[in-house]
Amino acid sequence: MLNLNLKTTPFHERTSALCQPQNWRKWAGYFVVGSYEHVLDREYWAIRNSAALIDVSPLIKYVIKGKDAAALLHRVTTRNVHKMKVGQVAYTGWCDEEGKMIDDGTISRLEDSTFRLTAAEPNLRWLTMNAVGMDVSITEVTDDVAALSFQGPNTRKVLNKVTEKPVDELKYFRLMTNKINGVDVTISRTGYTGDLGYEIWMDKKDALKVWDALMESGSDYGITPVGILAMDMARVEAGLFMLDVDYTSASHAWIESQKSSPFELGLDWTVALDKPGYFVGRRALEKEKREGSAWKMVGLAVDWVGMEKLFGKVGLPPQIPGSAIRGSLPVMVGGVHVGYASTSTWSPLLKTYIALAHLQKPYYEIGTDVTMEITVEHHRRQAPAKVVKLPFYEPEWKKK
Amino acid sequence: MSHYDNIIIGAGHNGLVAAAYLAKQGKKVLVLERRSIIGGSVVTESFGDNFSVDSLHTGGTLRPDIIKDLKLASYGLQPDSAPQPFITLLADGSPLTLDVESIKRISEKDAARFPEFVRFMNKAAQIMDVTYSTIMPRLPMNFGFKEGYGLLEWALELKLAGRKDMLNFIRALPMTAQELVEEYFESDIVKAAICAVAIHGSTLGPMGAGTGYTLIHSWMNRGGLAHKNVGKAGEITTALANAVKAFGGEIRTEAEVASIKIENQIAKGVVLINGEEISANQIFSAADPKHTLLKLVGAQDLPPEFVWHTQSIKMRGSVAKIHLQTNGNHGIPEGTLVVAPSIKYLEKAYDATKYGEVSEEPYLEVTTSGNTISIHFQFAPYALKSGDWKLEIKKVEELAINSLSEYFPNLRASISNLKSLSPLDLEQTYGLTEGDLNHGQLMLDQFLFMRPIPGWSNHKTPIDNLYLCGSGVHGGGGVSGAAGRNAAKSVR
Amino acid sequence: MTANQYDAIIIGGGHNGLVAASYLARAGKKVVVLERRPIVGGAAVTEEIFPGYKFTEFSYVVSLLRPEIIRDLELPKHGLKILPLPSTFTPMENGDYLAAWDDHDLTRRELYRHSPKDAEAYDEYARVMARAAKAIKPIINLIPPDPSSMSIRDLMGLLKVGQYAASLSEKELYMVAKLATQSSADLLEEWFETDALKGTKAASGIIGTYLGPRSPGTAYVLLHHYMGEIDGAFRAWGFAKNGSGGVSGSIYNASQALGVEVRVNASVQQVKVKGGRAVGVILENGDELDSKVVMSAADPKRTFLQFVEQKHLPDDFVTSIQNFRARGSSGKINIALSKLPNFTALPYTGNGANSVLHRGAVSISPSIDYIERAYDDAKYGQISKRPYIDMIFPSMIDPDMAPPGHHVMSCFVQYAPYDLEGGWTDQRRDELGEAVIATIEQYAPNIRECIVGMQVISPKDIERIAGITGGNIFHGELLLHQIFFLRPTPQWADFRTPLKGYYFGASGAHPGGGVMGAPGMLAAKEILKDGML
C-alpha cells in the first residue's frame, strides 16, 4: 500500500520513545531525532564527557565488491586506495573533472576486494558512471545496514563490557568485526565529533538488540542518547564540515563560485597527487596545487571582549543561540568583504563563539584579524575575530 | 621499440589523408591497418573472378584541395567521371531519370521548379563544404587566430550566400526532408526519390527532423543526386596510400592496434594485438570515436562525464550491402537507381528500425556497372530485437532480390555470384562500431561543435597527443577527407 | 474620436489578445478586442458542457503563464488562483505504477523502487533541465533579431543574443545546443532505464507537435514545458481555479479594470488597408472600425492568409506562411463522472474522495515505444489505436467544477491527426472517444460505469470552435525551424509584419504556445516602441 510518510530508522522504536520534545529532523528521507531533551546541554556534554549514542542510520552506504573494487575507489576518490590495508578506514572527498568536491565520506576496506563507502548524498549514478569497463558491483545498503555513532571518552569502557572481543587494540581509523549481544557487528574507530569514538554497523534486524545492550551496560558510564543537533555543535569544534552547509556539491551548484576544491576545504592531506594512474579531477587538482588556492576553510574564534562591547552598547550581555547556526555570515577585513562563515556555534567547552569560515587569499593565514557579522538587537554589527587553526578542540585521547 | 613522430590508426581515406599531410610536413609517419588491405570503408574488393565492387561507399570524390595538395592525380587518381543519371522507378516499373526533361513527363510544375531546387541545393552544399573544412573550436569561442580566421571565413561564406539562401540554409538543416521537398515539388515520386538521398546511410526517415541536413550532406558528398565514379572507390585510397609512401610515410597492414599506451593522461604509443609496442609523439585515430575511446584507450583513463557522452554517441547502423555478379541480363540501367516509390514507403521502411526489425519493404539504392550490381539495403538495424545477423542476412538478401525482381524480372536468373554484408559484418570486417558507415549518425545533435561529442570537435581528446581524424569528428561523414585534413592541420 | 475609432484593434479575445490589450490600455491607449465567439478566452475558456459539470474545453493546465504578466496585470486581484497539481501517476502495463510527487524524498523513494540508478539520475536530470531552462529563459523575453539583416535594431538584437550566449558556461552552451536538436527519446535514454519514467517524461516532448518521441527536436518541446517550473511563481504544473477559463477570466477582468473594450460576436472579415498600412478592420456584419494599429492574436494562417488581401503582402512571405507547419495532432475528451474511475494499480476504497492519485495527473505513457507507436499510426493519417492520454480530475482540486460527489475528468489525447485519412466525421470522432475509453479501461476497468456524459473534441473541432487553423494547440508546432527568429517566418519574428501598422502577437509568434501570454505582452511592447500610437 502506498505510504507517503518519511521513512523511520531501525532504531525508531527506541528513539521515538525517548524523544521528549518531538524535535525531529529530516535526514536523507528519514526521521531522526534532533534532540532528546528541550535543551541541548546534557546531550552535548555526553559527547565530551561520557558516552553519546547517536543514530546515524540514514548515512548513505554502498558496498563495492569485485576484482576492480579498489580500482574504482582509487579512480573516484582522491585517496590512494590501493595502499589501504584490510581493516583500514580512510576519510576522503571526491571531485568532478574540474577538481571540485562532489561529496565526502569514508572508505572502509572490509575485505581485500570488498569496500564500504559512506556518503552524504546518493552517489550510485556517479559511481556507476565511473565503473564503465570494470568488474565491480555497487550496491546501496543504506536501508539494510543500521549505524550507531558512539562518541565520548567512556565509549571504550562501555564497548569492552558488551563486545565479544575487546576493542582496546582497535586503532584510530581502523575497523574490526565483533559481536554485541550475540549479534554480528562491525566496529570502526571513527566519528563526527573529534572525540574518542566508534561507529557500529549492523544488520537492521539486529539494531534494537545492539541498542539495548549498549544502553544497559552504558548506564554506569553516563550513556546518553544524543540527537543530531548536539553532534552538530561538536563537529564544528572538531573542525569537520558538512555537505550542503559548509560546501555545495559540484553537481548541485548553480554557478562556478559555489563550488569548492578539497584544498579549499583544508583536505590537502587526503589528496594523493603522488598516486599512480588517472583519478577524477587529477589535472585540475595538480594545477591548483601548483598555483595555490584562492580560498581556504579556516576556524574563526570570535573575540569575546569585542562581542561584549557591541552588546554592551545597547545595554545587553552577549547573546548566543543554543545550537549551531547554519547560515552564511559575512566576514570582513577593514570593511571589505573577504569571505563568509558557513556554520557558527557557541562552544560550551571552549567558552568561545567559533565558526567555520571560508576566506580569500591571503586572509586565510592563521592569526589574521578579521571581523564577522553578528546581529545585535536587530542591527548588523562586525565582531572582531581571529583566524585559528582547525580543529578548535582535539582531546589527547582522540587518536590514542 | 620503434618510434615515430606520428602513428595513424586505420588506413581508410581519412587516416591516409591525415598521414599524407603529416608526411608532407616531413614527419616520420606510420599508418597501421588491421585488415590485409588498405582503404577502410572506401575500398574496392574482389569477391570472385570478375566480381570486383565498391564494398561499402560507392565511388565518391575527395575535396579538390586535398587532391591538389597531395598531388593525387600523379598517383593515379582519375578525374571525375561524367555526371551519372539518378533514376527512380514509376509505379508501372518504368525508370524515370531525375532531370528537367524526364520530370516533365509526370509534372510540368515540378520540372519547372527542378532547376531552382538544384541551384539551392548546390548553394547549400557549397556552404556545407566550407563548414566542413572549418575546424570547429570549443565553445564559448575562446580560440586562437588560426581557428578564428577559419570561423571568420565560414561566417563570411554564410553572409556571401545572400540573405535568402543563408536563411533558407539555416532553416533547411532542422527541417524534415519531406518538408523541404514539399516546398518545391508536388509529385510524390520525385519527392520520394530526393528523400531517398536524404536518408541514405542515416537511420532516420524522411519525416524525421534533421533530414534536411542529411540531404544537403549527401548532395555535397555526391555532387548531386547520383554517385560518381561507381566501382572506383578503391582508386581514391590507393592513390592516397601512394602519396603517403611518396612523402616518406610507412603503411603496415595486418597490424591491428589492441590499445593505446597511456601514462598520466598522455598517449605514448600503441600496442598491437601481437604484443608489439610502437611509440610515437602523436597518435591519430581514424577509427570511430567509440572504438578509439572506449576500446583502444579504455574508460579507466577518461573522465566519467566524457565516458558517458562517448557511450551516448548514436551509432545505430542500419545498412546492409548485397553485391551481385550477373551474366549481364539483369535489365537494370547503369547509374544510381532507387526503389523509393513514396515518402510514406521510405518512412515505413525506417519505422521498423525503431523496434529492432528489418524493413519488410526496404529502401534500396542500386548502383550498376556492367555485370556487377551493388544494392544498398535500408533498413537493416544492427541491433536486432530478436535473431542473429548470421542468419538474418539471408532474409535481407531475399528481400532485396525479390523487391528488385518486381521491377526487373530477369534479375534473379542472371545472378551468378552474391556477396552480402550485414551490419555485423560492417562492424567485424570493416571495424565500424554498430555498423555505422559515418562513425556516428549524422544528426543535428552530432553536428558542428557537437561532433563527436560536445566540446571535442577540434580533434583533441582528454588524452594529450591523441587526436581523432576519422569520420566521427566534425568534417567527417562521407568521402570528402575533410576530417583527416583538418586533424593534420590542427596539430603543430 | 468617434465610437468606432481606436488607437489599437486586437483581433481575438484569447489570452494573448487580452494580455496585449491590457498592456496597451495600461499605457493609456484606447483599445478594442474583437472576439468572434460569444465568450472570451479563446482556447482557454471554461464552459458548463453538461448541466452542473464545468470543463475547460481545450487547454487544461497552466505553468507557462509568465509571472511578470501575473504581477503587471495584478491577476490574483482579478481572480487568478493557481492550485497545485501534486503528482503524476503512470499506470504500467505489468499492473504496477510509477508515481512522481512534488516532494523530493517521496519521488526518490518511489523511483528507487523501480531503479536505484534512475532515482539518482532523476535528481541530476532535474538539475540539468532546470539549468538549461534558466539558460534559455532570457530568450523568452527577447525580441528575435534577424541574423541576415544589417539594420541597427537587428544588429543590436544579435549583440544581445551574443552577450547572452557569452554569459553561459561552456557546459550550459552545449546543454542548450543539444537539447535544441535532440529527440526526447535519445535524451531520456541517456539518463534512465525505467520505461514508464522515460515514457512519461517523453510525453511532454510531443505535446502539441506532430512528432514522435524519437523525432529529433522533441527535446526542445520538453524543455519548453520545463520553463514554467523555474520561476518562483509556480513550482510545478498547476491548475487554475475555475479551469483555464479562470486564467483568461482574470485577464479579462484585468483588461476591464484597465478600460479595454471587448466586443464578442465580432468576427473580423478583413483588415482595412490604406496607403500601404493597416488602418482598421471590417467585421462580418459590415461594421467598420478604424485604428492606428491592428494586432492579430489569431493563428498565422488566418492572420495573413484570411484577414489580409494577398496583394498587400510579398509573395515570399505568403509562401512561407503557407508552409508554416500547424498540424493539429491532439484531441480533448471531457468526461462527466458519477464517481471516480478506480485504477487497478492503486485502488481506492470508499468513494475515492481521499484518493491521492486522483488529485494529480494520470498519464497513460507506459513506455517510449508505446508513444512512438501511437505516433506511427498518426503519421500515416490514423487515430492512434492506443493513444497517449494525460488525465486530470479538476473536481478533485476544485470541487466547484462538478455537483457534490460527482467529478469531471479532462483527457488530453494524442495523436488525433487533423489530416485524418478520409476526414473527420461524427463516426471518426466517436472512434477517438472509444480509443481513449478502451485505453483507460485497461488500467481502470470500471471507467465505463462512471461516465455520465462525454464530449470528444477533435483537432477539426478545435479549428471550428476556437478558430485555430489546423487545430494545433500551439498555433504552430514548436519545430526547430519554427522557433525564435524563424517563428512564424524568417525576417518577421519581431511581431511586426510586412504590412505597416499590422502586428502579430499570438502563440504562432515567438516564444510560442501554451497558456504563456508572452507573445501578447511582447507584441504590445513592440507596438508601443514603434510610436505609431
Side-chain angles (χ1 to χ4, degrees), chain B residues 138 316 347 351 354-355, chain C residues 170 186 372 376 379-380:
Chain B
R138 295 180 77 125
R316 12 185 119 135
E347 183 71 17
D351 281 346
K354 296 191 290 193
Y355 312 106
Chain C
E170 187 181 1
D186 285 341
E372 186 68 25
D376 285 348
K379 204 159 59 166
Y380 307 113

Side-chain angles (χ1 to χ4, degrees), chain C residues 101-112:
Chain C
W101 308 95
D102 50 6
D103 178 77
H104 169 258
D105 285 329
L106 282 182
T107 304
R108 182 173 137 70
R109 198 203 306 175
E110 167 64 7
L111 286 172
Y112 201 93

Side-chain angles (χ1 to χ4, degrees), chain A residues 5 26 124-125 140 251, chain C residues 105 109 112 120 127 131:
Chain A
N5 295 324
K26 204 168 141 178
L124 184 65
R125 178 179 145 77
E140 184 176 346
S251 57
Chain C
D105 285 329
R109 198 203 306 175
Y112 201 93
E120 266 175 56
R127 279 192 288 268
R131 281 190 205 114

Side-chain angles (χ1 to χ4, degrees), chain A residues 17-75:
Chain A
L18 295 165
C19 180
Q20 296 165 1
Q22 295 301 332
N23 183 352
W24 295 93
R25 286 286 183 274
K26 204 168 141 178
W27 177 5
Y30 287 88
F31 278 127
V32 290
V33 173
S35 71
Y36 287 91
E37 296 180 15
H38 298 277
V39 284
L40 297 181
D41 291 45
R42 222 173 65 84
E43 290 173 54
Y44 166 82
W45 281 108
I47 297 171
R48 293 288 176 234
N49 191 45
S50 54
L53 190 59
I54 311 163
D55 176 8
V56 292
S57 300
L59 198 62
I60 289 169
K61 315 164 204 93
Y62 298 98
V63 168
I64 294 158
K65 229 180 171 134
K67 187 168 74 56
D68 292 329
L72 171 62
L73 290 166
H74 192 84
R75 172 187 159 89

Side-chain angles (χ1 to χ4, degrees), chain B residues 90-106:
Chain B
L90 297 174
D92 64 4
S94 62
L96 175 83
T97 304
L98 257 70
D99 57 37
V100 175
E101 280 311 305
S102 312
I103 295 173
K104 269 188 190 154
R105 274 167 47 207
I106 48 169

Side-chain angles (χ1 to χ4, degrees), chain B residues 110-156:
Chain B
D110 286 359
R113 302 225 50 189
F114 194 69
E116 167 56 19
F117 175 73
V118 171
R119 188 206 65 80
F120 169 70
M121 288 304 294
N122 283 337
K123 189 85 204 174
Q126 189 191 333
I127 301 174
M128 186 65 78
D129 182 55
V130 179
T131 308
Y132 279 162
S133 64
T134 307
I135 299 169
M136 278 294 139
R138 295 180 77 125
L139 295 178
M141 304 290 191
N142 50 353
F143 38 74
F145 172 75
K146 210 168 107 184
E147 284 171 320
Y149 184 72
L151 281 174
L152 205 67
E153 270 188 329
W154 179 48
L156 206 66

